[in-house]
């Protein structure tokens, strides 16, 4: 395998590149990055071709903040003849382990999305051809690798595979959610996606239980509070703005018109802290860590709005602030995860939990 392709939101290629270079170096893998601005993907080419396989095996995808999906590729097929695109794909995938699923995909950009119909149509004959050569199992098998054919345009594609226990199970690595009409703002989808990304189904049932208490800092008009109320939680909503009437009528919400940086709950009975205040990332990171350190919450989901130019560095700085706050005099064991969610734009979402 020659290298790794990583999908990301258009405009975040540099951040994805900086992150993969650092993460790969941490496991002694070295290479270089090729990218085009706003292309929605990054190509990481390994100096030692065998390392691409090791990279997608040893580096957990959920440790990468900016990549939505990754796979190791063997070849970049160029100038494909529209009359026979199947032959070269079969040839390029000859050395792959047997795969159990085929995904023909494209970059999540305006131009990329124009390929969506073609990719769907092309999947059918390609799948048949791959089954004939036994490169793909007859039925979907989620326990073996996934084959990826990633069309950059109609004539250029990368062919590779990912491991089904270390990839995103979602097409393009994108979680599509339906906007609930009764929610007061679209940002409700950010918290919903975060809950699905950071907690599996069982954890959601255990840790978003009816009757639990939560605090929502920067709550108005109430998109995030809506997600908590929907799950039966009681919410202290902190913001100087106006909360949606429908949420106040639920009887589960108490509105505090106060500064979110000064507010603290009266009792130590809050499980969840959520925070969507638009402020400097280091200031928000410190606040979240201090709530956890002081026992004012057990878990937090929060956004960090990152500056355009140095997003990865700014994220790393926030991680360091949280670490320093929690490893001080009375250390708190914790787990921190971060992801640039599909419903995030200039921000990333983090999950901080006391262990
Ligand atoms: C992006 S909006 C939050 C949207 C909300 N999560 C939702 O889903 O509807 C940011 C909110 O943070 C509030 N905010 C900003 N700074 C604040 C502070 N220091 N204290 C309390 N609220 C603050 C703003 O008033 C604004 O309503």
């Amino acid at each position: 395998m020659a290298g790794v392709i990583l999908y990301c939101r258009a405009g975040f290629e540099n951040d994805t590149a900086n992150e993969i270079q650092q993460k790969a170096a941490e496991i002694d893998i070295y290479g270089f990055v090729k990218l085009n601005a706003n292309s929605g993907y990054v190509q990481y080419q390994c100096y030692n071709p065998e390392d691409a396989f090791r990279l997608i095996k040893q580096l957990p995808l959920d440790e990468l903040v900016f990549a939505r999906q990754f796979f190791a590729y063997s070849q970049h097929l160029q100038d494909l003849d529209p009359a026979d695109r199947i032959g070269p794909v079969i040839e390029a995938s000859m050395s792959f382990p047997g795969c159990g699923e085929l995904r023909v995909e494209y970059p999540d950009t305006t131009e990329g999305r124009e390929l969506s119909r073609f990719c769907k149509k092309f999947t059918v004959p390609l799948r048949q051809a791959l089954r004939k050569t036994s490169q793909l199992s007859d039925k979907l098998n989620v326990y073996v690798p996934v084959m990826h054919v990633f069309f950059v345009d109609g004539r250029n594609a990368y062919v590779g595979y990912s491991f089904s226990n270390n990839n995103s199970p979602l097409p393009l690595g994108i979680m599509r959610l339906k906007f609930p009409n009764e929610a007061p703002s679209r940002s409700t989808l950010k918290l919903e996606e975060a809950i699905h990304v950071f907690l599996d189904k069982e954890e959601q049932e255990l840790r978003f239980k009816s009757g639990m208490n939560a605090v929502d800092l920067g709550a108005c008009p109430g998109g995030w509070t809506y997600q908590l109320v929907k799950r039966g939680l009681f919410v202290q909503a902190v913001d100087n703005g106006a909360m949606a009437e429908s949420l106040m009528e639920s009887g589960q919400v108490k509105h505090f018109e106060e500064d979110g940086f000064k507010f603290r709950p009266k009792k130590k009975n809050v499980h969840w802290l959520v925070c969507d205040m638009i402020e400097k990332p280091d200031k928000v990171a410190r606040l979240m860590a201090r709530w956890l350190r002081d026992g004012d919450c057990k878990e937090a989901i929060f956004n960090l709005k990152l500056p355009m130019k140095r997003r990865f560095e700014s994220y790393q700085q926030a991680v360091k602030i949280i670490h320093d706050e929690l490893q001080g005099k009375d250390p708190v064991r914790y787990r921190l995860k971060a992801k640039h969610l599909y419903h995030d734009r200039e921000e990333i979402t983090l999950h901080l939990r006391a262990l």
Side-chain angles (χ1 to χ4, degrees):
M1 306 307 276
V4 174
I5 297 291
L6 303 105
Y7 304 174
C8 63
R9 175 183 276 280
F12 287 72
E13 297 79 13
N14 276 323
D15 314 290
T16 309
N18 289 342
E19 186 174 34
I20 190 64
Q21 280 190 302
Q22 175 167 327
K23 287 286 183 182
E26 284 172 11
I27 50 172
D28 278 331
I29 291 177
Y30 300 94
F32 60 94
V33 157
K34 284 189 192 167
L35 63 82
N36 290 315
N38 297 310
S39 63
Y41 73 99
V42 164
Q43 177 186 352
Y44 176 80
Q45 203 157 324
C46 300
Y47 291 130
N48 175 0
E50 278 162 31
D51 280 346
F53 169 84
R54 192 156 74 81
L55 190 54
I56 60 157
K57 208 171 169 67
Q58 288 184 6
L59 175 62
L61 178 65
D62 72 0
E63 275 187 20
L64 295 174
V65 179
F66 295 100
R68 294 172 174 171
Q69 179 66 290
F70 66 6
F71 67 86
Y73 69 92
S74 61
Q75 270 187 54
H76 179 191
L77 302 176
Q78 300 184 55
D79 291 326
L80 282 165
D81 177 0
D84 177 26
R85 284 180 269 226
I86 291 182
V89 171
I90 300 259
E91 210 169 295
S93 56
M94 276 299 183
S95 62
F96 294 2
C99 291
E101 187 187 341
L102 169 67
R103 295 195 202 157
V104 181
E105 294 183 326
Y106 50 87
D108 180 35
T109 59
T110 311
E111 304 77 48
R113 283 186 286 275
E114 285 169 12
L115 294 167
S116 113
R117 272 186 58 190
F118 157 72
C119 288
K120 215 170 165 183
K121 258 175 86 177
F122 183 66
T123 303
V124 181
L126 178 61
R127 193 190 282 131
Q128 274 170 358
L130 287 165
R131 281 182 174 156
K132 256 192 197 153
T133 56
S134 301
Q135 283 160 283
L136 190 69
S137 59
D138 284 341
K139 282 194 183 146
L140 176 77
N141 182 349
V142 296
Y143 299 103
V144 293
V146 175
M147 189 184 296
H148 296 261
V149 182
F150 181 66
F151 277 95
V152 177
D153 58 49
R155 286 176 170 268
N156 285 284
Y158 293 89
V159 185
Y161 65 87
S162 62
F163 292 110
S164 46
N165 63 355
N166 190 27
N167 66 7
S168 166
L170 304 167
L172 305 190
I174 290 176
M175 186 176 293
R176 302 202 183 268
L177 295 168
K178 194 170 171 293
F179 175 68
N181 285 331
E182 40 326 334
S185 70
R186 282 205 74 79
S187 57
T188 196
L189 295 176
K190 284 194 278 184
L191 184 58
E192 185 174 2
E193 183 180 354
I195 292 171
H196 291 307
V197 166
F198 295 126
L199 288 89
D200 65 29
K201 244 183 158 176
E202 223 169 273
E203 291 171 325
Q204 288 178 34
E205 275 166 23
L206 279 173
R207 306 205 323 250
F208 279 101
K209 266 217 280 253
S210 193
M212 277 180 160
N213 293 300
V215 172
D216 183 354
L217 300 178
C220 293
W224 285 32
T225 293
Y226 168 83
Q227 290 295 331
L228 302 167
V229 165
K230 192 175 96 169
R231 289 169 171 81
L233 279 78
F234 290 98
V235 185
Q236 299 173 50
V238 184
D239 199 311
N240 276 319
M243 285 297 280
E245 266 311 307
S246 54
L247 287 171
M248 299 311 297
E249 282 163 10
S250 70
Q252 289 168 241
V253 182
K254 200 163 174 198
H255 186 187
F256 295 83
E257 292 181 40
E258 292 180 28
D259 181 353
F261 283 91
K262 296 198 178 123
F263 178 89
R264 285 296 177 111
K266 299 254 171 324
K267 290 188 192 160
K268 302 263 185 217
N269 62 356
V270 172
H271 186 98
W272 282 101
L273 168 65
V274 299
C275 172
D276 192 19
M277 293 190 290
I278 298 165
E279 248 298 346
K280 290 205 174 76
D282 47 354
K283 203 172 159 191
V284 175
R286 187 166 291 110
L287 182 72
M288 298 296 107
R290 288 188 177 172
W291 271 65
L292 209 75
R293 181 197 67 192
D294 299 342
D296 279 330
C297 70
K298 295 194 167 53
E299 303 189 52
I301 291 180
F302 57 101
N303 269 347
L304 293 183
K305 188 150 174 69
L306 302 178
M308 271 267 267
K309 285 237 164 82
R310 293 165 51 84
R311 294 186 187 112
F312 182 55
E313 291 85 339
S314 170
Y315 154 69
Q316 286 180 305
Q317 199 179 324
V319 170
K320 186 174 178 327
I321 288 171
I322 291 171
H323 183 79
D324 291 348
E325 288 289 340
L326 294 175
Q327 296 303 297
K329 218 170 77 206
D330 297 309
V332 176
R333 283 180 60 234
Y334 70 96
R335 199 190 79 161
L336 180 65
K337 292 261 173 207
K339 202 79 200 168
H340 187 212
L341 303 175
Y342 176 64
H343 294 92
D344 283 336
R345 289 188 182 273
E346 290 300 318
E347 67 274 342
I348 57 169
T349 304
L350 293 87
H351 174 217
L352 178 62
R353 181 185 180 207
L355 296 175

